[in-house]
Amino acid sequence: MTTINLKDFYYWYIVDELVEVPDEVAEVLLASRRNEAAYQRRLTRNKAFYSLDCDDGIEYSACLHEPSPQELLDRKELFFRLWNALNSLPEIQGRRVDAHLILGKSYRQIAREEGVDKSAVRCSVESGIKRMKKYLRENF
């Protein structure tokens, strides 16, 4: 049996807590501590303070570029054009196009919510998209 101090292995112990453990457990804990110290040395020497294969969003931000002010302005302008085109539709048709394209609902879901036939919703959405295209061609 080997006596170990839990404070040396677990950060939440703030006072010394001595425990007797079997020799195998003590060896595993010491090996784990050595491996962690070696890993930290490698990180420091190679200046690799983060990993692209971790799941904290670093790899996502590294893959995407930050949009320029011009790109942001273009997106905003496109958004307003699409918003105006959507608002140019009649209320029911606009609601159906919004539900299908923006909210991602299926024709069947929309029809069930409104209590109408699925084909009526499909025709309404398709004609609404055509009207939006026409509106965008005429006004922009």
Side-chain angles (χ1 to χ4, degrees):
M1 296 288 278
T2 305
T3 303
I4 63 165
N5 188 354
L6 293 178
K7 183 180 175 185
D8 295 338
F9 295 98
Y10 302 106
Y11 67 90
W12 57 84
Y13 284 93
I14 53 176
V15 295
D16 291 336
E17 183 77 30
L18 301 174
V19 177
E20 284 193 17
V21 295
D23 294 333
E24 297 85 17
V25 172
E27 289 175 24
V28 169
L29 287 172
L30 290 173
S32 174
R33 179 197 265 169
R34 284 192 299 270
N35 286 338
E36 183 65 29
Y39 176 72
Q40 290 300 325
R41 276 195 306 276
R42 282 194 308 274
L43 282 179
T44 304
R45 289 180 185 156
N46 297 319
K47 295 187 180 15
F49 297 110
Y50 58 88
S51 171
L52 291 179
D53 60 352
C54 64
D55 193 23
D56 60 358
I58 293 173
E59 68 280 359
Y60 181 74
S61 63
C63 293
L64 295 177
H65 73 285
E66 191 68 28
S68 69
Q70 183 63 40
E71 290 172 331
L72 291 173
L73 185 64
D74 291 342
R75 280 188 205 167
K76 189 174 183 179
E77 186 177 327
L78 178 64
F79 172 78
F80 283 123
R81 287 180 181 179
L82 291 172
W83 184 256
N84 288 335
L86 185 62
N87 285 334
S88 71
L89 299 175
E91 181 185 351
I92 294 173
Q93 196 172 42
R95 185 176 62 235
R96 290 175 179 172
V97 170
D98 177 49
H100 182 66
L101 294 180
I102 297 173
L103 299 178
K105 293 183 179 181
S106 67
Y107 295 134
R108 179 172 282 135
Q109 286 176 312
I110 299 167
R112 199 176 312 127
E113 290 172 1
E114 294 183 1
V116 296
D117 189 45
K118 183 178 91 168
S119 61
V121 173
R122 183 178 35 80
C123 291
S124 178
V125 169
E126 288 173 357
S127 65
I129 291 171
K130 288 178 186 175
R131 288 178 73 170
M132 286 177 65
K133 286 180 183 178
K134 182 179 176 185
Y135 176 86
L136 289 170
R137 268 190 242 111
E138 291 174 356
N139 295 308
F140 298 105

